Amino acid sequence: MIKTDHYTITRERLPIHELIGLDMSVTENTDSHKKGLSGVIVDETQRMFIIDTPAGEKKIPKRESTFAFMLGSETVSIEGKDLLSNPIERLKNGGKILYA
């Protein structure tokens, strides 16, 4: 859990929260070169995360990946297919996937 004066990110609320700025790693991916990448999310589109790694910015497709997000001392694993929409749409529909 991450808690500030203005918001709290919990395991349950992570899919509907803003993900830019969070630390994450790719735990599974169909491309073996992307598996194991980790960094800070600097941008997000409907189908992709852009993360800042020590080797530069990398684009990671959501559909073919599983991600581990670091929320303080807790690690939360989420399948990318469960995040397939842009952040505003995830917030509006309460985290439900409307299209894939």
Side-chain angles (χ1 to χ4, degrees), residues 4 10 12 23 28 30 35 37 39 48 55 57 60 68 79 82 84 90 95 100:
T4 71
T10 62
E12 298 77 27
D23 290 319
E28 294 294 328
T30 55
K35 185 176 177 179
L37 286 175
M48 185 138 344
E57 289 186 355
I60 311 295
E79 290 189 37
D82 294 336
L84 278 175
R90 282 198 314 267

Side-chain angles (χ1 to χ4, degrees), residues 13-26:
R13 296 184 54 77
L14 183 64
I16 61 170
H17 200 280
E18 175 63 59
L19 301 175
I20 294 173
L22 293 181
D23 290 319
M24 70 96 136
S25 61
V26 181

Side-chain angles (χ1 to χ4, degrees), residues 33-89:
H33 293 99
K34 292 183 174 146
K35 185 176 177 179
L37 286 175
S38 63
V40 175
I41 299 172
V42 294
D43 200 6
E44 176 185 8
T45 66
Q46 177 180 340
R47 292 185 167 87
M48 185 138 344
F49 284 121
I50 301 170
I51 62 172
D52 187 22
T53 72
E57 289 186 355
K58 304 290 182 183
K59 294 180 179 181
I60 311 295
K62 293 177 184 177
R63 181 183 303 274
E64 49 196 57
S65 305
T66 300
F67 302 101
F69 294 90
M70 283 49 113
L71 300 181
S73 61
E74 181 180 17
T75 301
V76 179
S77 183
I78 299 180
E79 290 189 37
K81 66 180 181 155
D82 294 336
L83 300 171
L84 278 175
S85 63
N86 63 47
I88 292 296
E89 293 302 318

Side-chain angles (χ1 to χ4, degrees), residues 3-8:
K3 184 175 177 123
T4 71
D5 292 338
H6 304 289
Y7 62 88
T8 301

